[in-house]
Amino acid sequence: MAAAETIHVDGVWQAAASGAQREVLDPADAKTLAVVAEGGVEDTDAAIAAARRAFDQGPWPGTPVAERAALLRRVADLLQRDRETIALIESRDTGKTLEEGRVDVDDVTNAFRYFADLVAGESAGRVVDAGTPEVHSVVVHEPVGVCAMITPWNYPLLQASWKVAPALAAGNTFVIKPSEVTPLSTVHLVKLLAEAGLPTGVANVVTGAGDPVGARLSEHPDVDLVSFTGGLVSGTKVAQAAAPTVKKVALELGGKNPNVVFADACATADGFDTAVDQALNAAFIHSGQVCSAGARLIIEESVRERFVAELARRAEKIKLGRGTEDGVECGPLVSAQQLDKTEAFVASALEEGALLRCGGKQPESNEVRPATGYFYLPTVLDQCHREMRVVREETFGPILTVESFQTEDEAVTLANDTEYGLAGAVWSADTARARRVAARLRHGTVWINDYHPYLPQAEWGGFGKSGVGRELGPAGLDEYRETKHVYENLRPSPVRWFAG
Ligand SMILES: NC(=O)c1ccc[n+]([C@@H]2O[C@H](COP(=O)([O-])OP(=O)(O)OC[C@H]3O[C@@H](n4cnc5c(N)ncnc54)[C@H](O)[C@@H]3O)[C@@H](O)[C@H]2O)c1
Ligand SMILES: C[N+](C)(C)CC=O
């Protein structure tokens, strides 16, 4: 496979039909990391046609479930074999630390193993009691068909695996379009699928821009389902483009996620230490470029000053640098665009009256800011309120805003005061209160006394404008299946509805 042959159609790695290429940049120094094919409509149509043929005429949809599960387990083994290679690709492409890259590979592996076990453990269908022994009635699941998958740059392989693993488990074929910013690990995954023995044409990849590649996938009549993970603006366009063909649409969009801390969680030294540490983890892991980032700290007023002072002290000590270097805790932002966006959010927050507690600029030291890398200091903005743009919109950068409350009702109102509804957390030493608040939060995932864990067995997705549908868990498999009722009359006879 030559450098720019990153389009995979019908088992063949190839360059873009137009010959166009794109440079993928290393966000730590803005230098070229790789050159990939810049696919267009022609490449996308060819990939869809291959996936269509593989679904309509190929063996995969009819492959016994046990064999599909076995293939998924082989992919999991290959992912673990290549763990260091993939972690390095992911770290250099996204800027995240090598250790975060390793965790991603393990989570991806677990997703493949989970969906293998899930389908392998299912019964072939659900027998329905039709009320008479003369009828055999059964509800079965079948693959949806050709799936289009569009993924973001922050967790390229992880978000791909939450689509690819259930889609294959269910017997679908697919075309995947990774983010043009970070396409490299998806290309590697598709190579592993071939190595594991997936039939030709089942897995196709087109590297290229959202428009035209993602747009074409969304509108194409031969695509039966489009599963998108990314921002609200692009997700809305995908839904609009998909509507005329009434294909299934799954959207995993952004969040503006509250991290609610009650004073009782901070009553002991250990409790205080844990809540501060986890607030840092919530907001700044992967430089805040996480859909579920706890970017809004909503804290009980009585502990606000002590909590925020300690938080800012620790945030200032976060070690920035190239994600592959030992000891580095936060890498750069992924692109110049993300850096510009972060700077603009901080500037608008300060204009609107926020109090800067730390950060608020790029690091000055060359040691942590090599050449033109896209680094930005972890930033804490105190005295924020709901009218501020930085509180309402997803910043997707290393910015933590602080709001405070006096009562439980006020905490819940603030936490739900967002058009999104992806994730959030509540910290309290009072179990009854923590559960009461969790029950009132309008978010797809709620953590009590924790932040960020997700499990392949548990559905992931959002309320409100955080999306439509769920990934992971049994519902994450059902996204990729049609449900069919087969009603078999064992003693057919005339119904005589018509006399003649
Ligand atoms: N809910 C989740 O699980 C989850 C997970 C990760 C990221 N995200 C969200 O993703 C966003 C960050 O990722 P991003 O900046 O890559 O998002 P993005 O919306 O800019 O891009 C996502 C993908 O959509 C493609 N795209 C862009 N325009 C398109 C169009 N018109 N038609 C079809 N596809 C198009 C892009 O090329 C990319 O592959 C954040 O909002 C984040 O919250 C959500
Ligand atoms: C879904 N998650 C948390 C892995 C990545 C979100 O950006």
Side-chain angles (χ1 to χ4, degrees):
M1 176 176 145
E5 292 184 345
T6 54
I7 293 175
H8 190 66
V9 176
D10 232 347
V12 179
W13 288 101
Q14 51 201 260
S18 67
Q21 299 185 345
R22 174 188 291 265
E23 289 183 5
V24 177
L25 301 183
D26 181 337
D29 59 16
K31 293 197 176 120
T32 303
L33 179 62
V35 177
V36 296
E38 181 71 356
V41 169
E42 196 180 330
D43 306 289
T44 310
D45 285 356
I48 294 169
R52 187 78 261 164
R53 276 193 303 278
F55 187 79
D56 294 341
Q57 300 158 30
W60 187 248
T63 297
V65 165
E67 284 178 38
R68 293 209 296 259
L71 183 131
L72 261 61
R73 292 193 186 105
R74 287 200 294 281
V75 175
D77 292 344
L78 293 173
L79 285 159
Q80 284 301 300
R81 181 198 70 188
D82 290 358
R83 185 172 185 259
E84 281 305 304
T85 307
I86 301 171
L88 183 61
I89 291 173
E90 211 70 324
S91 171
R92 295 202 65 194
D93 211 0
T94 66
K96 65 177 63 179
T97 66
L98 205 45
E99 192 50 30
E100 286 175 63
R102 291 186 186 111
V103 171
D104 283 1
V105 181
D106 293 345
D107 287 343
V108 170
T109 306
N110 290 339
F112 274 89
R113 294 206 169 120
Y114 169 71
F115 283 110
D117 291 349
L118 187 62
V119 281
E122 280 184 335
S123 59
R126 177 169 54 92
V127 175
V128 174
D129 183 357
T132 163
E134 293 171 358
V135 167
H136 179 67
S137 176
V138 61
V139 175
V140 295
H141 291 301
E142 294 183 358
V144 171
V146 174
C147 302
M149 303 165 178
I150 303 172
T151 52
W153 49 257
N154 63 335
Y155 285 78
L157 197 64
L158 185 69
Q159 299 303 157
S161 74
W162 291 9
K163 303 180 192 305
V164 170
L168 290 180
N172 297 280
T173 64
F174 70 85
V175 180
I176 189 164
K177 190 210 91 63
S179 167
E180 58 275 37
V181 184
T182 58
L184 306 179
S185 57
T186 303
V187 169
H188 193 90
L189 174 66
V190 173
K191 288 184 199 162
L192 295 187
L193 295 178
E195 188 180 342
L198 191 67
T200 301
V202 175
N204 304 275
V205 58
V206 182
T207 49
D211 192 359
V213 179
R216 184 65 177 156
L217 287 170
S218 306
E219 72 181 10
H220 202 291
D222 280 346
V223 171
D224 300 297
L225 172 153
V226 58
S227 176
F228 171 88
T229 301
L232 179 56
V233 173
S234 316
T236 308
K237 288 182 187 164
V238 166
Q240 282 168 341
T245 49
V246 198
K247 55 174 60 77
K248 293 177 183 299
V249 177
L251 301 173
E252 292 291 338
L253 308 178
K256 192 68 198 177
N257 313 292
N259 185 20
V260 178
V261 180
F262 284 91
D264 60 25
C266 307
T268 64
D270 281 354
F272 179 74
D273 173 53
T274 302
V276 173
D277 173 79
Q278 289 270 12
L280 284 178
N281 170 43
F284 297 127
I285 193 150
H286 196 8
S287 299
Q289 302 169 118
V290 184
C291 56
S292 47
R296 287 176 73 196
L297 175 65
I298 297 176
I299 187 151
E300 193 160 352
E301 179 56 31
S302 60
V303 285
R304 184 182 61 81
E305 181 48 42
R306 184 165 74 104
F307 196 97
V308 175
E310 179 61 10
L311 188 71
R313 189 187 71 75
R314 295 193 200 179
E316 278 179 334
K317 289 179 148 182
I318 290 175
K319 188 164 167 19
L320 298 190
R322 186 184 281 280
T324 50
E325 279 170 17
D326 281 348
V328 163
E329 295 172 318
C330 259
L333 302 184
V334 79
S335 63
Q337 193 189 7
Q338 280 305 114
L339 181 58
D340 291 348
K341 200 173 132 190
T342 301
E343 287 181 326
F345 267 117
V346 172
S348 85
L350 297 179
E351 271 169 32
E352 290 177 292
L355 178 67
L356 184 67
R357 299 292 292 250
C358 69
K361 59 183 181 183
Q362 286 190 266
E364 276 146 24
S365 154
N366 280 337
E367 195 186 320
V368 293
R369 191 190 165 204
T372 50
Y374 311 125
F375 293 91
Y376 198 84
L377 292 174
T379 298
V380 177
L381 296 167
D382 200 357
Q383 296 178 10
C384 291
H385 56 78
R386 63 188 299 276
E387 278 76 32
M388 292 175 170
R389 198 163 79 84
V390 74
V391 172
R392 307 211 67 78
E393 295 177 22
E394 184 186 43
T395 65
F396 223 54
I399 304 173
L400 177 64
T401 62
V402 182
E403 299 157 84
S404 64
F405 64 87
Q406 308 269 6
T407 66
E408 188 176 309
D409 276 349
E410 218 183 314
V412 171
T413 302
L414 283 173
N416 284 336
D417 186 15
T418 166
E419 62 179 347
Y420 292 108
L422 187 60
V426 50
W427 291 82
S428 175
D430 177 344
T431 303
R433 166 146 73 185
R435 290 183 181 170
R436 208 164 51 230
V437 170
R440 294 174 68 191
L441 293 186
R442 301 278 301 157
H443 298 268
T445 295
V446 178
W447 296 287
I448 295 177
N449 296 335
D450 210 327
Y451 208 99
H452 273 323
Y454 42 85
L455 307 171
Q457 309 91 303
E459 278 76 0
W460 177 270
F463 289 23
K465 289 187 181 167
S466 286
V468 178
R470 289 292 180 272
E471 296 196 303
L472 300 180
L477 178 62
D478 284 343
E479 292 276 7
Y480 292 91
R481 307 202 285 200
E482 290 285 10
T483 301
K484 182 187 277 180
H485 175 204
V486 181
Y487 178 105
E488 183 182 5
N489 191 337
L490 303 174
R491 287 195 59 194
S493 61
V495 291
R496 304 290 181 217
W497 193 255
F498 299 107

